[in-house]
Amino acid sequence: MFTNLKEYKMHIKRLTIWGISLLLLSLISLNIFAQTGSERVLTPGETIQGVIDEANAAQVYTFTAQAGDVISLSIESDIALTLLVTNAQGVNIAQARVQDEITGINDLAIPVAGVYFVTVFPINDTSGTFSLTYQNISSNTPEDTPVATTAAPPTTTITADTFTTSQVFLPSGMEVSLRWNTNDDLNLQVRDPNGGTLFWGSRTTAEGGSFGLDVNGLCEVINTPPNVETASWAGGSLPTGSYEILVYHRQACEEAVPVSFTIDVSVNGVALDPILGSIQAPVGDEATVFLASFTLREDGSAVIGRSGPYTDTRVLPISTQEILETPATPLTLGTPVQGVITNEQYFQTFTFSGQAGQNVTVSMRNERGNLDTLLLVLDSAGNIVADNDDIEPAVNTNSAATFRIPATDTFTIFASRYGKDVGGTEGVFTIEISGSELPEQIINRNLPSGDIEVTLVWNGTADLQLLVRDPFGNSVFDDTRRVASGGELVETGNINCVQSLNQPPVYYIYWPPNTLRIGAYEVEVWYQSDCGIPGPVDFQIYIVVSGQLIFTDTVSIDFNERYLTSFSIDQNNVASPSDAGIIQIAGGSVTLPYQQELASAISISGGDVFTGSITPSNKFDIYVFEGQIGDVVTIQMDATSQTLDTLLYLIDPSGAEIAFNDDAGDSTNSAITNLTLTQNGQYIILATHFGTIYGGTTGGYNLSLRIDR
């Protein structure tokens, strides 16, 4: 901040090195620039008086003009001055040294509609007064558009192709404050158009936003009313678009009664109409929510949007009949379509045809903007058959609903946003329907639908077991029928050789809606008993993720054999299947193509400890050591992270597999202990995971070698 004219003048000289266009950015830090108001807005034909002295090193004014306008700025002064015109981004549009016969800037054509800044500062270290007159000689509009508390909505329909966000320069920034007068824990949250959010748990954003005090947090320290929480943005370039305001009633610190509050919004120093509201006390641990919004436009004007209490996902602001009668876009399986949600259009409708028993997933994801999606699916009678707000609350605010179609019908998708009509997020979204084609023998079982569905089907009396291991290393099977991640065993086929009442026998493990997690899932089929009728069994396995059949296989398996496959869910909730096949523990080294990688094997000696990792793209590591006849070796492989289920093989100098270990003791770590070598030469250690090339567990490990001679 410049405290006197001399300091300011020295700063101007330094700026000259970098270019005069940087001047405005420096002036933002001046006191006089922070004190913007109506007296600093130039009006055509009016003259403004200004002062340059030690307390006022420069003066800054604004005007609004349209593209093609021709304007003039004239100054009368007893001192020599510099006159500078810049746009909202600080780019120099025109400048003039006002002295002698030069009295200002004449006939300046405005290139782009918007707010412009006029800066007046002295050429020499002098003080004085001046008169500044602004003229709009050729105006494309009858008058400038001021910042207003109300404004008419745009008349142009916004589409997915035309929806954009931009920036506008606000020298005084913005502020949103929440005021209430009770001893309750209310919280303020504001989401900006680019997806940044300000609240007690996110105190800064990339757009220059900052959050103040968390008042009455958890009712631990009670403030003396009135209470105020504030989100603010420093002066500068800020994103245009819709800012969503959320008020949470987290905890009633005294009596559980409704709380009245006021939301104040200030844009560039101009107050918008206050938002008055009341919010109910929380129910149990669930906070109640009130929503509001305001829109910042490209010309710097702002308008308050709709507001009201949050309602449950299935509570609609209009009747289902109105939704069904809204013109809709037809969808087909597997073909994504884009749409847009704005404050003027808070929902769109889409239709699709479904067959009874078909398993489908309707997904809606934000592509551009700050849109927090929400969707519902209605049948032709207006009944809600599926809904979803967040795929994973507080983590993934996109939406996906997986369900089995109850009856052949035409369905309508209500694609909207959190808060629906009173919400404040906007953006372009992609909506898509995916589905699986399962055999009737599965569809007719009316099994529950979910985010992940793994189905095993076979004919006969044999007892086959299905096991699915989740990304956290927990397995769902007949001994553990439910795990913390949500996986659940529903159908158990011919378990313990007790024939299934429904034929053919089916094993079914699924994860209910909203339980999809990122990571690798391993699927195992074990032929554990022939139930007195020997012979191979043919089975079919189906893996469905988010309503889409990602993997199916038909396999012939013999008694006590194990079949293994895996699939991974990435950060975009896209599923990728892996290889599959019958595995073997003893002799399993033949499934690993290690010979072609021997040249890059790691040399290890007795007493060494190495670290490594098994990943979907690195199924095994190779170590080599020199052994002698009579050496007694111990090899230990211990998992150190994630879900890794280790497996060790030892190959002798002739290429024969002489030892292996899957599980050492009660753990899933591996150890080959006290093995006496019978040959001299190079031995090969293969460090891998259960299932070798078909395995799905991953993670880090430590490998150690001890040689006793």
Side-chain angles (χ1 to χ4, degrees):
M1 184 178 297
F2 306 112
T3 57
N4 58 59
L5 190 61
K6 184 176 181 180
E7 291 178 1
Y8 177 76
K9 184 65 177 178
M10 291 299 296
H11 187 67
I12 294 298
K13 290 179 179 178
R14 288 193 295 269
L15 281 176
T16 305
I17 299 174
W18 300 99
I20 195 68
S21 64
L22 293 175
L23 175 62
L24 182 60
L25 299 179
S26 298
L27 290 174
I28 293 173
S29 63
L30 291 170
N31 278 332
I32 54 109
F33 202 40
Q35 298 169 355
T36 55
S38 59
E39 71 277 5
R40 295 195 174 274
V41 178
L42 299 177
T43 302
E46 292 187 4
T47 299
I48 286 181
Q49 306 298 321
V51 175
I52 298 294
D53 54 24
E54 288 191 359
N56 299 279
Q59 298 286 358
V60 181
Y61 306 91
T62 67
F63 67 88
T64 302
Q66 303 299 313
D69 285 0
V70 178
I71 66 102
S72 292
L73 294 161
S74 59
I75 284 185
E76 293 183 5
S77 178
D78 54 355
I79 60 173
L81 298 170
T82 294
L83 186 62
L84 176 68
V85 180
T86 56
N87 65 12
Q89 287 72 43
V91 177
N92 185 6
I93 303 300
Q95 65 185 69
R97 294 168 63 92
V98 181
Q99 58 183 359
D100 301 329
E101 290 84 15
I102 300 175
T103 60
I105 297 174
N106 297 315
D107 300 329
L108 173 62
I110 298 299
V112 179
V115 177
Y116 289 82
F117 296 84
V118 179
T119 305
V120 181
F121 56 92
I123 294 176
N124 301 309
D125 295 341
T126 54
S127 299
T129 61
F130 64 87
S131 299
L132 173 64
T133 303
Y134 162 63
Q135 295 286 354
N136 195 326
I137 301 169
S138 176
S139 176
N140 289 328
T141 56
E143 60 182 5
D144 296 328
T145 303
V147 174
T149 58
T150 59
T155 56
T156 303
T157 301
I158 298 175
T159 66
D161 293 330
T162 61
F163 177 88
T164 59
T165 58
S166 60
Q167 301 283 116
V168 64
F169 193 82
L170 299 181
S172 292
M174 298 190 305
E175 182 176 280
V176 178
S177 62
L178 169 67
R179 295 185 285 118
W180 73 102
N181 291 310
T182 66
N183 294 330
D184 294 289
D185 182 11
L186 268 59
N187 290 141
L188 171 68
Q189 179 179 352
V190 185
R191 298 201 275 194
D192 70 38
N194 290 341
T197 183
L198 288 174
F199 68 108
W200 61 266
S202 175
R203 294 186 176 272
T204 60
T205 67
E207 305 295 346
S210 62
F211 188 82
L213 295 176
D214 176 23
V215 179
N216 296 344
L218 300 177
C219 300
E220 292 178 349
V221 179
I222 302 299
N223 185 60
T224 301
N227 303 303
V228 180
E229 289 192 359
T230 302
S232 59
W233 291 260
S237 186
L238 295 175
T240 61
S242 180
Y243 289 74
E244 184 180 60
I245 305 169
L246 302 98
V247 177
Y248 296 88
H249 192 171
R250 292 288 183 190
Q251 191 169 344
C253 301
E254 293 179 349
E255 188 178 1
V257 296
V259 176
S260 298
F261 59 85
T262 301
I263 301 171
D264 297 307
V265 180
S266 174
V267 176
N268 206 29
V270 177
L272 306 187
D273 290 338
I275 302 168
L276 306 179
S278 178
I279 190 167
Q280 296 293 321
V283 180
D285 294 331
E286 289 293 322
T288 51
V289 185
F290 183 96
L291 294 105
S293 65
F294 69 95
T295 299
L296 177 62
R297 294 180 175 159
E298 292 183 359
D299 62 359
S301 66
V303 58
I304 293 291
R306 297 188 63 178
S307 61
Y310 170 81
T311 56
D312 186 71
T313 300
R314 292 198 172 205
V315 177
L316 295 166
I318 58 176
S319 69
T320 56
Q321 188 60 37
E322 289 177 273
I323 294 173
L324 295 178
E325 292 174 354
T326 300
T329 301
L331 297 178
T332 56
L333 203 68
T335 303
V337 172
Q338 284 200 331
V340 64
I341 298 296
T342 66
N343 289 338
E344 289 74 34
Q345 176 181 278
Y346 71 88
F347 76 94
Q348 284 191 263
T349 56
F350 302 83
T351 58
F352 70 95
S353 298
Q355 303 298 313
Q358 186 180 13
N359 197 56
V360 299
T361 293
V362 181
S363 61
M364 179 183 180
R365 64 179 182 273
N366 177 39
E367 302 289 355
R368 196 163 67 249
N370 64 352
L371 182 62
D372 183 347
T373 63
L374 175 148
L375 66 84
L376 296 95
V377 182
L378 290 74
D379 64 18
S380 60
N383 301 307
I384 298 173
V385 297
D387 69 87
N388 184 249
D389 178 9
D390 295 338
I391 290 176
E392 188 173 354
V395 176
N396 187 344
T397 60
N398 291 319
S399 306
T402 300
F403 64 103
R404 200 174 303 281
I405 292 178
T408 300
D409 200 354
T410 297
F411 297 86
T412 297
I413 302 169
F414 175 84
S416 187
R417 62 186 178 186
Y418 177 81
K420 298 179 280 287
D421 58 327
V422 296
T425 62
E426 298 181 321
V428 175
F429 64 88
T430 295
I431 194 160
E432 184 176 4
I433 304 173
S434 56
S436 61
E437 298 297 332
L438 296 175
E440 288 189 10
Q441 59 188 3
I442 296 177
I443 293 175
N444 294 338
R445 300 294 278 270
N446 292 319
L447 299 168
S449 59
D451 288 342
I452 297 174
E453 302 169 1
V454 183
T455 310
L456 175 68
V457 183
W458 70 100
N459 290 304
T461 60
D463 181 6
L464 271 59
Q465 176 188 268
L466 176 66
L467 178 149
V468 182
R469 179 155 36 186
D470 69 15
F472 309 100
N474 300 314
S475 298
V476 185
F477 64 116
D478 52 19
D479 287 345
T480 305
R481 301 197 175 197
R482 183 176 297 173
V483 295
S485 63
E488 184 175 350
L489 172 61
V490 175
E491 291 281 343
T492 56
N494 298 330
I495 187 170
N496 297 324
C497 294
V498 176
Q499 298 303 295
S500 173
L501 296 177
N502 298 311
Q503 291 295 321
V506 169
Y507 233 102
Y508 182 71
I509 294 173
Y510 87 117
W511 271 256
N514 304 321
T515 59
L516 191 65
R517 298 293 181 265
I518 295 170
Y521 294 76
E522 189 175 70
V523 180
E524 177 188 306
V525 178
W526 176 32
Y527 186 172
Q528 63 180 349
S529 177
D530 61 16
C531 300
I533 304 178
V537 173
D538 294 333
F539 70 80
Q540 294 80 42
I541 189 165
Y542 304 89
I543 301 176
V544 175
V545 177
S546 297
Q548 183 175 1
L549 181 65
I550 66 162
F551 179 84
T552 184
D553 201 2
T554 300
V555 181
S556 180
I557 191 170
D558 288 319
F559 173 64
N560 211 32
E561 283 188 331
R562 295 174 187 264
Y563 167 93
L564 200 66
T565 188
S566 63
F567 62 94
S568 298
I569 309 295
D570 67 14
Q571 292 183 343
N572 296 316
N573 293 322
V574 175
S576 301
S578 185
D579 294 330
I582 302 294
I583 65 170
Q584 55 188 87
I585 305 300
S589 60
V590 298
T591 65
L592 298 173
Y594 66 89
Q595 293 88 349
Q596 58 193 5
E597 298 185 27
L598 275 176
S600 59
I602 301 169
S603 294
I604 186 171
S605 302
D608 288 346
V609 177
F610 281 87
T611 62
S613 62
I614 302 300
T615 69
S617 60
N618 182 57
K619 295 282 189 176
F620 62 94
D621 288 327
I622 310 170
Y623 299 85
V624 295
F625 68 93
E626 292 297 322
Q628 299 177 11
I629 295 174
D631 285 351
V632 178
V633 300
T634 294
I635 307 165
Q636 183 80 29
M637 182 182 182
D638 296 325
T640 58
S641 66
Q642 297 177 271
T643 62
L644 183 62
D645 184 351
T646 63
L647 177 61
L648 274 174
Y649 290 102
L650 181 61
I651 312 298
D652 71 13
S654 66
E657 178 186 304
I658 60 172
F660 70 91
N661 183 256
D662 177 18
D663 297 336
D666 295 330
S667 74
T668 59
N669 293 321
S670 305
I672 297 172
T673 59
N674 299 320
L675 177 69
T676 301
L677 304 184
T678 60
Q679 296 183 45
N680 295 326
Q682 179 178 271
Y683 286 78
I684 301 169
I685 301 170
L686 300 177
T688 183
H689 57 179
F690 176 77
T692 60
I693 60 172
Y694 304 128
T697 65
T698 59
Y701 68 85
N702 290 331
L703 184 130
S704 62
L705 171 65
R706 190 181 81 232
I707 302 177
D708 296 325
R709 288 181 174 164

